[in-house]
Amino acid sequence: MTDQAPFDPSQIADWLNQQRERLRGERAETHQDSESWIASMREWLKLLRPHANPMFGGQSQDELNQALRGLGTAQQSILDLLSKLPPLGIAASQFEPWMRLQTADAEFRKVEEQFRNAIVNVHLQALDELERRLKAREGAPLTERELYDLWVECGETVFTKVAHSSEFAQLQGAVSNAAVRRLREQQKVIEQVARMFDMPTRAELNSVHQQLRALRHEIETLKSAEIGGTPARAKSKRVSASATRAGKKPTRKSSKVSR
Amino acid sequence: MNPETDTPFAQLASKMASVVGALANAGEIEIGTAAKREVYREDKLILYRYEADPEAPRARNPVPLLICYALVNRPYMLDLQPDRSLIRGLLKRGVDVYLIDWGYPDGADRLLDMSDYVLRYLDRCVDVVRRESGQPSINLLGVCQGGTFSISYAALKPERVRNLITMVTPVDFRTEDNLLTKWSETLDVDALVDAYGNIPGSLLNTMFVNLLPFRLHSQKYVQLIDSLDDPEALRNFLRMEKWIFDSPDQPGAVFREFLTKLVKGNELIRGTLKVGGRDVNPKRITMPVLNVFARQDHLVPPSASRPLKQLVGSRDYAEHEFNGGHIGIYVSRGAQKEIPERIAGWLRDR
């Protein structure tokens, strides 16, 4: 890679700024549900503006935006309220898993956003570290590959510090636990649907596995009691005896599997 | 200058495109090619015995070596390719090698716990090797998590283990530099196992790769540019890549037990570990012990392996620190002579 043309320092500065801007944008894009809903509605209304104005009584764009923000907030409030509502009525047991899933999903999204922001911060700090190290080189030329490797080194340095902090460990644990809770609620919803159609469920299979395991242990205990040795020894005796009868070495299998 | 093709980044992108082409044309790769035969099978477990190296010294070590690999990833790491193979290195030095392949656990195996692995599977493999060799006790080598199983086994059935070797094996899970332990601190292990049943290998892989995200998500692929003109180096890379992402799921029960008792509870160090209801007392490990670890191991740092010395009751304890990482200890060029030589030599003297 040394045959590569070295970087112009101004190119590097531009690249650093572009990356920072992109990363900040990623962080800013992590809207609440209602905000992203408003954003998409706003785009649609731009397209529909000639038709939408009469529909909304000729209001200005700002007034429409304000109205939409209000609607978005209301939508979020309603969803929050519904998720806290205890299941009621004859169909309560049908709705409950869905409501629990909605709550788990909202919790996951919230903590996942925090986690994503933490990762974006690592990248931003890595760029700061890269800039610092580049300045320390006092304009010494470097190739694109050297720049890339330096960026990786800066990234790992920053990440190691962050990853060892208790805050990051807490956040990592929180996002994993939230993802698992959501998965669990999804499974419950699917199990409910499976039961409606009399399909086997994971819970039933787990019961069968438990029963099989208990039976297996019981059989092994009985076998060892009967033979008066461990099951392995018993097996080994059996194999040895049959192998001796056949005039073979007492191995269970002796097929060559690979070379 | 054409900014579309002549800027440094455009040149880098163009080289990466060449890497893709070279990988596509790298051809078939083979792994785990040392000759072996199946000697025992139970559930998904297969016990293999490797064929002796015809060039090995005549004075073959009469006590066979049983290798107990981890449940994470596949054991062919120990015989990745002919010129990077701990197993071939041992065979060449007259060691009679057996290897446990745990297979790919599925949903029916989710209830397998440590007692199944240590007191059932491992014990039966030890029995088979003892029977085949006619030796009352055998040499046991545990790798990583398999090392922790082997320590437990040697403590529970010391009369069956002649010499114990541990490689990159965690013993003290609570050392300051152990990032995996820190990350698992707040993890709800019960909820995780209840939700997944078996812990997906891909999930574990994501966690391992995320320990060094810049290097392992990106740099190692960019570095392929350096191997563009070296097809063998590309194939080496592909073998490693295959191994890294060939990750069996971990049976839920054993994962729960390992995380709860060993990683979070540090029960091996605290002397409170029980397997199958039986006390694991490492002071019963009085046979010779060789503890091999890697200085730059980011998964099992040396600080996690070293405490074995204080833990065991053996008076014949030796350590070997390899200058490399968790994987390099098996596949790096430097390891090919150093590690098998150390192990075979140590065994020869005992």
Side-chain angles (χ1 to χ4, degrees):
Chain A
M1 297 303 294
T2 48
D3 57 335
Q4 294 301 305
F7 260 110
D8 175 349
S10 67
Q11 276 180 308
I12 298 178
D14 285 349
W15 179 78
L16 283 171
N17 288 331
Q18 279 169 19
Q19 295 306 307
R20 283 194 183 104
E21 210 168 305
R22 185 180 61 78
L23 287 165
R24 287 191 187 114
E26 269 182 34
R27 198 164 50 181
E29 277 170 22
T30 55
H31 301 292
Q32 293 293 327
D33 285 352
S34 57
E35 287 174 356
S36 58
W37 181 75
I38 293 167
S40 61
M41 280 300 284
R42 194 175 289 138
E43 290 306 308
W44 277 105
L45 277 176
K46 267 186 203 166
L47 293 171
L48 295 170
R49 191 177 166 79
H51 314 288
N53 273 357
M55 243 164 59
F56 287 91
Q59 288 161 313
S60 71
Q61 184 69 44
D62 283 350
E63 283 167 329
L64 278 175
N65 282 344
Q66 210 173 352
L68 280 172
R69 183 165 289 282
L71 273 175
T73 311
Q75 180 215 29
Q76 190 61 51
S77 307
I78 291 166
L79 288 175
D80 288 348
L81 190 70
L82 284 175
S83 68
K84 287 174 195 155
L85 195 69
L88 300 168
I90 197 160
S93 61
Q94 264 74 45
F95 282 119
E96 192 179 2
W98 290 97
M99 290 171 70
R100 290 172 67 95
L101 174 56
Q102 158 123 22
T103 307
D105 185 56
E107 279 171 12
F108 170 72
R109 281 167 189 247
K110 197 173 157 188
V111 72
E112 198 252 354
E113 186 178 316
Q114 291 168 15
F115 185 74
R116 202 153 14 110
N117 283 342
I119 297 296
V120 169
N121 283 340
V122 166
H123 281 268
L124 284 167
Q125 286 175 45
L127 290 176
D128 293 344
E129 177 70 12
L130 178 63
E131 193 169 41
R132 197 183 61 73
R133 293 198 195 184
L134 287 171
K135 274 185 188 152
R137 290 172 59 95
E138 294 176 342
L142 82 172
T143 64
E144 84 279 10
R145 177 64 183 280
E146 288 165 339
L147 175 65
Y148 169 78
D149 287 340
L150 191 60
W151 170 73
V152 168
E153 205 181 304
C154 293
E156 290 297 358
T157 306
V158 170
F159 181 74
T160 301
K161 266 189 217 156
V162 173
H164 277 275
S165 69
S166 58
E167 293 80 18
F168 188 83
Q170 292 276 346
L171 196 52
Q172 172 113 325
V175 77
S176 306
N177 293 339
V180 164
R181 277 196 296 273
R182 185 176 67 166
L183 176 63
R184 200 77 193 96
E185 297 308 329
Q186 286 169 334
Q187 288 167 337
K188 285 177 188 166
V189 165
I190 288 169
E191 291 231 334
Q192 185 189 44
V193 174
R195 276 196 297 273
M196 281 167 66
F197 293 96
D198 195 27
M199 301 288 283
T201 65
R202 171 44 70 186
E204 287 169 10
L205 266 178
N206 283 347
S207 301
V208 173
H209 287 314
Q210 292 276 14
Q211 288 163 12
L212 277 175
R213 185 175 167 79
L215 279 171
R216 188 174 179 166
H217 279 180
E218 210 170 309
I219 290 168
E220 284 184 2
T221 311
L222 286 169
K223 269 187 182 172
S224 13
E226 188 188 340
I227 297 164
T230 63
R233 221 174 268 156
K235 266 185 173 179
S236 123
K237 275 180 190 167
R238 226 172 25 244
V239 171
S240 300
S242 60
T244 310
R245 273 197 302 278
K248 287 178 188 167
K249 280 178 80 178
T251 55
R252 192 141 308 174
K253 257 191 166 183
S254 60
S255 56
K256 193 170 283 185
V257 291
S258 67
R259 181 174 284 276
Chain B
M1 179 169 136
N2 179 354
E4 293 292 315
T5 56
D6 296 342
T7 62
F9 281 124
Q11 288 167 5
L12 187 65
S14 157
K15 285 191 172 168
M16 284 310 293
S18 307
V19 167
V20 173
L23 286 175
N25 294 311
E28 287 296 309
I29 51 161
E30 283 188 313
I31 40 162
T33 56
K36 60 184 184 296
R37 65 187 170 87
E38 180 183 322
V39 293
Y40 179 70
R41 182 185 282 255
E42 181 177 351
D43 300 334
K44 298 192 174 64
L45 172 157
I46 301 176
L47 175 65
Y48 290 108
R49 183 181 187 184
Y50 283 87
E51 287 190 3
D53 187 327
E55 290 172 19
R58 285 198 168 192
R60 200 178 186 206
N61 194 325
V63 185
L65 175 72
L66 172 63
I67 301 179
C68 174
Y69 198 76
L71 301 175
V72 185
N73 288 101
R74 304 280 295 137
Y76 58 74
M77 159 55 68
L78 306 176
D79 180 35
L80 196 64
Q81 59 194 67
D83 59 343
R84 289 167 198 254
S85 168
L86 171 67
I87 286 172
R88 284 174 193 261
L90 292 169
L91 294 168
K92 203 170 149 187
R93 289 163 178 83
V95 180
D96 184 6
V97 181
Y98 288 75
L99 172 78
I100 300 174
D101 180 345
W102 300 115
Y104 292 87
D106 62 26
D109 302 309
R110 61 181 53 200
L111 299 175
L112 293 175
D113 59 18
M114 270 182 74
S115 72
D116 290 299
Y117 279 96
V118 174
L119 291 170
R120 187 151 68 94
Y121 293 143
L122 179 54
D123 190 40
R124 288 183 190 170
C125 288
V126 169
D127 256 352
V128 172
V129 179
R130 288 167 67 218
R131 191 178 68 237
E132 280 213 335
S133 63
Q135 296 285 337
S137 58
I138 61 158
N139 297 324
L140 181 61
L141 187 159
V143 174
C144 192
Q145 183 190 33
T148 314
F149 289 172
S150 300
I151 291 170
S152 303
Y153 182 78
L156 288 165
K157 302 210 169 182
E159 70 284 357
R160 294 178 174 216
V161 182
R162 171 100 160 240
N163 297 293
L164 174 67
I165 302 164
T166 53
M167 284 188 80
V168 291
T169 293
V171 175
D172 184 350
F173 290 81
R174 311 286 297 178
T175 54
E176 184 50 34
D177 51 352
N178 198 329
L179 193 51
L180 281 175
T181 298
K182 281 185 184 170
W183 284 3
S184 60
E185 193 66 33
T186 54
L187 189 70
D188 186 342
V189 179
D190 288 330
L192 184 73
V193 173
D194 290 345
Y196 280 101
N198 288 340
I199 304 303
S202 56
L203 194 73
L204 296 173
N205 257 331
T206 305
M207 193 174 64
F208 296 142
V209 170
N210 283 347
L211 290 172
L212 294 168
F214 289 80
R215 286 193 209 291
L216 300 181
H217 281 296
S218 154
Q219 192 183 37
K220 74 169 188 177
Y221 300 102
V222 173
Q223 280 171 340
L224 283 175
I225 290 173
D226 302 331
S227 308
L228 258 178
D229 303 321
D230 185 351
E232 195 44 44
L234 283 177
R235 278 195 287 276
N236 289 351
F237 171 84
L238 287 174
R239 284 187 197 99
M240 271 305 299
E241 195 72 352
K242 177 178 170 57
W243 175 79
I244 288 168
F245 295 108
D246 186 1
S247 312
D249 298 343
Q250 290 242 345
V254 77
F255 182 86
R256 189 197 308 262
E257 206 175 356
F258 199 83
L259 260 282
T260 309
K261 290 183 173 179
L262 289 153
V263 178
K264 290 186 172 210
N266 215 9
E267 291 189 4
L268 197 52
I269 282 287
R270 289 168 56 208
T272 53
L273 181 66
K274 284 179 193 279
V275 172
R278 295 171 60 181
D279 287 325
V280 174
N281 178 6
K283 292 292 172 209
R284 293 185 73 203
I285 301 178
T286 52
M287 73 289 294
V289 175
L290 172 63
N291 187 9
V292 184
F293 47 86
R295 195 174 299 157
Q296 282 100 38
D297 194 332
H298 71 290
L299 293 170
V300 181
S303 60
S305 299
R306 280 203 185 96
L308 184 62
K309 184 180 182 179
Q310 284 78 42
L311 202 64
V312 295
S314 176
R315 287 183 186 171
D316 183 1
Y317 172 91
E319 278 179 4
H320 184 85
E321 184 171 13
F322 173 73
N323 187 16
H326 194 77
I327 314 293
I329 199 168
Y330 306 107
V331 297
S332 70
R333 210 166 285 282
Q336 298 315 305
K337 190 176 173 207
E338 181 181 330
I339 301 299
E341 187 68 51
R342 180 70 170 114
I343 292 172
W346 183 82
L347 287 174
R348 206 179 300 126
D349 298 339
R350 285 160 181 82

